[in-house]
Amino acid sequence: QNNGSLLITKRKGDQKFLPGYDAFPWAKVNREEKGNGMGDGMGNGMGNGNNTSSNLKIETYSGNETGFPAALVRFVKEALGADMLELQESGVIDSIHYMGNNITPGFDVNRLRTHYYLIECTSEFSLSPGENDSPISIAGWKTTEALIEHFKKGDLLLSPAMNRLLFAMAENRLN
């Protein structure tokens, strides 16, 4: 989030999961990221809420849980070409808040525990989506209002969880 602008991505059409869907940046947690001291292997991060082994400073609203910051850092680097630690150290990333997690319903074929972060930036930073094996074809900055307008026109394809998150942000229910 940058002064009301949100980073939105579009998944490549050849992806097995949600091909062509629009989403806020996400990351699949790799096996090694589950057992590196920043998670308990069950999708629950156990960081100290202030400083992870990657030195990324994360504030929390839910005790000391920080999700999986290693997966977040890796994904942003691989998929968007941006180094979160450098962006935080340079002041482009003002703050990172771990918002919590959500598990997809039991009837869903692909059960996922999604960890949500609010990353507040002082300015937009350059992105390089679609390079290498990135699952992202396009990434850019849009206001919440613009995203909702695109959604209502049918120009934005969101999963139910992303849909709820976008409308909650628009109604300022996340503060």
Side-chain angles (χ1 to χ4, degrees), residues 4-166:
S5 292
L6 302 172
L7 177 57
I8 189 80
T9 65
K10 179 174 283 300
R11 294 178 59 83
K12 287 182 178 174
D14 64 355
Q15 295 296 296
K16 290 180 183 177
F17 184 69
L18 300 175
Y21 271 69
D22 299 286
F24 300 117
W26 74 97
K28 177 182 177 188
V29 178
N30 292 334
R31 184 180 309 267
E32 62 273 10
E33 292 163 335
K34 290 180 182 178
N36 69 357
M38 287 192 282
D40 63 4
M42 299 298 291
N44 297 308
M46 305 303 280
N48 65 11
N50 183 27
N51 203 336
T52 68
S53 63
S54 67
N55 293 323
L56 196 68
K57 294 178 183 78
I58 299 178
E59 300 172 30
T60 68
Y61 296 117
S62 56
N64 66 354
E65 185 176 349
T66 59
F68 286 98
L72 178 67
V73 169
R74 175 191 44 79
F75 176 81
V76 170
K77 181 71 171 172
E78 291 174 0
L80 299 172
D83 186 313
M84 290 188 67
L85 187 56
E86 285 179 12
L87 291 169
Q88 193 172 53
E89 288 175 350
S90 69
V92 172
I93 293 179
D94 185 46
S95 63
I96 302 171
H97 302 275
Y98 178 69
M99 303 299 287
N101 64 71
N102 183 37
I103 301 175
T104 52
F107 58 81
D108 195 321
V109 175
N110 297 299
R111 294 220 58 204
L112 304 171
R113 180 184 301 255
T114 306
H115 296 267
Y116 294 100
Y117 295 87
L118 175 63
I119 302 170
E120 297 179 299
C121 302
T122 57
S123 62
E124 295 177 3
F125 52 89
S126 62
L127 306 166
S128 302
E131 296 181 2
N132 304 321
D133 293 330
S134 171
I136 294 176
S137 61
I138 301 170
W141 300 90
K142 296 225 183 277
T143 64
T144 306
E145 295 79 17
L147 289 171
I148 288 178
E149 184 177 321
H150 284 289
F151 178 77
K152 288 179 178 178
K153 288 181 181 178
D155 296 334
L156 196 65
L157 183 59
L158 297 174
S159 70
M162 288 291 114
N163 181 12
R164 287 189 304 273
L165 183 59
L166 176 61

